[in-house]
Amino acid sequence: MFDKDFIFGVATASYQIEGSVDADGRCESIWDTFCKKEGAIIDGSDGTKTCESYIKYKDDVKLIKNLGVKAYRFSIAWGRVINSNNKPNKKGINYYVKLCKELIKNNIKPVVTIYHWDMPQWLDDIGGFLNDDIVKYFEYYTDVITNALKGLVKDFITINEPQCIMFMGHDACYFAPGTKYNDKEMLQAIHNLLKCHGAAVKVIRKNIPDSTVGFAPCSRPAIPSNRNNEILEEKCYQEYFDIKRSSEYSNSVSIYSDPIFLGDYPKTYYEQFKDVLPNITKEDLDLINQPLDYIYQNFYSGNYYSLDENGNLTKDKFDFGYPEGNIDWLQVVPETLYYGPKYLYRRYKKPIIISENGFCNNDVVSLDGKVHDPQRIDYIRRYLIELEKISKEIDVKGYFVWSLFDNFEWNSGLRKRFGLVFVDYKTGKRIKKDSFYEFKKIIKES
Ligand code: BGC
């Protein structure tokens, strides 16, 4: 059982669900461009139609209401709200106003993500996060959208998964825009992204003084395979926040969250990157270090660790008999929702909200017309047991399932399904999966 004020919700993102990419003056995003690249998307699909939420948003709200969750996390498409002359686009803005009104009418709290990866192409053309002016553009965009949503929305998340923006978009290059950065460029772009976050927080607080604000990174905690070994747990904690230049550092937790919550990058950052540091001023750090209300975090998976005979941390192999997600990075590690929040709370000392957690499955419509997804049910139940445990020790305020429905899963296209609701992309039909009913039951029981 969670506290009475604990919030269950579902989450989505604009490019993944809206479709209607040419409607009402929306300008092209980096994802429109990326999807056109030969071989970029595994099944050759794109976001032109997907769940058609731009048209069917009232049906979306009906589904959310029926599910019984109290909150809906969705993102705003920058290119709908701001046109390519950097001026507000009334029609695009109006879509989000209508959506929020519909949610409120149905007693569902809108939780708005300002940026979930669909940067307008024209901004990427002038350098994206590498261009120092991005901070002014982001600030202006946030100003426009928060002025429009004043009186409707109180809860904001500035940026979703900065690690994916940087690592997937500019290192591994599996995601848009797919431009490779060297170390110096990477650190500069990360620094600018953090400044965008800080500038946005200030604008949100100015325009909506009673708002709550956070940002939503992702992470993959180090999990002690033996829960009773304190030394192992301590080493896992250190590992989780550690930065090694030799590894995929753009995926780090502390490079992003330390400046935001603690006011500076970790010491190891300055040591490891001394030859490629961006220009970091006191004003920058103050801007980035805006007080936040929550630690939002997207958690899907973790890595188990043990100690070897010399007392060093070693990664375990996955062999725990849980169902497997059908996307390569999604191993089922339920303790992620125990240790992840525990570590974050210990370091940053704010209430925790799980802004995404969910399971990718090979869902099909069965002969009985239903979609049976016992693996997803198993996943959600196991993860919630762990979250409930940690909520007895620290302040945990909410949990959002990714995702309301199947949607455009970035470079994996339409083939990878994360929804509680199945979407038939040909007919547009939506079918509630077994997990939808099960999650509904969980919410009622809690
Ligand atoms: C992202 C979502 C994505 C989900 C599943 C998160 O990384 O925020 O946009 O669809 O995980 O991959």
Side-chain angles (χ1 to χ4, degrees), residues 11-13 16 73 116-117 160-161 164 168 175 216-218 298-300 327 329-330 355-360 402-403 407-412 416 418:
T12 63
Q16 295 182 273
R73 175 184 173 217
H116 197 129
W117 308 352
N160 183 71
E161 297 190 358
C164 280
M168 299 298 276
F175 280 12
C218 53
N298 299 351
F299 282 123
Y300 288 84
I327 200 159
W329 49 266
L330 212 173
S355 33
E356 282 181 31
N357 176 243
F359 189 72
C360 184
W402 183 273
S403 180
N407 54 50
F408 178 74
E409 180 49 33
W410 309 114
N411 66 323
S412 297
K416 302 285 176 187
F418 271 91

Side-chain angles (χ1 to χ4, degrees), residues 268-287:
T268 42
Y269 167 95
Y270 290 102
E271 289 161 7
Q272 302 248 344
F273 300 103
K274 50 179 178 308
D275 54 322
V276 285
L277 288 175
N279 181 25
I280 301 166
T281 65
K282 165 94 174 57
E283 289 73 52
D284 294 351
L285 292 174
D286 288 347
L287 174 64

Side-chain angles (χ1 to χ4, degrees), residues 312-331:
N312 297 323
L313 215 50
T314 53
K315 222 188 239 184
D316 293 354
K317 294 214 169 71
F318 286 101
D319 186 15
F320 291 86
Y322 297 136
E324 283 211 12
N326 82 335
I327 200 159
D328 55 359
W329 49 266
L330 212 173
Q331 289 75 33

Side-chain angles (χ1 to χ4, degrees), residues 35-135:
C35 289
K36 288 180 195 141
K37 276 192 199 163
E38 187 74 34
I41 311 298
I42 289 171
D43 60 0
S45 63
D46 56 36
T48 48
K49 184 170 174 233
T50 166
C51 310
E52 301 176 283
S53 288
Y54 195 71
I55 303 163
K56 297 183 177 172
Y57 71 93
K58 287 194 178 169
D59 295 342
D60 297 0
V61 177
K62 264 190 208 142
L63 279 173
I64 301 164
K65 167 107 177 159
N66 189 284
L67 181 61
V69 294
K70 295 213 191 78
Y72 177 45
R73 175 184 173 217
F74 61 94
S75 77
I76 311 277
W78 194 338
R80 287 201 193 279
V81 165
I82 302 291
N83 68 22
S84 51
N85 296 320
N86 205 33
K87 292 275 173 302
N89 173 23
K90 275 204 183 118
K91 284 185 177 166
I93 294 172
N94 199 29
Y95 166 67
Y96 297 107
V97 170
K98 283 188 305 188
L99 170 60
C100 290
K101 285 189 174 160
E102 191 68 17
L103 286 165
I104 290 162
K105 207 169 86 191
N106 286 282
N107 284 320
I108 301 158
K109 181 160 93 142
V111 177
V112 167
T113 310
I114 306 276
Y115 184 67
H116 197 129
W117 308 352
D118 44 358
M119 179 178 282
Q121 183 57 52
W122 66 269
L123 276 167
D124 185 60
D125 291 342
I126 56 169
F129 284 109
L130 253 191
N131 181 341
D132 295 347
D133 290 342
I134 195 71
V135 183

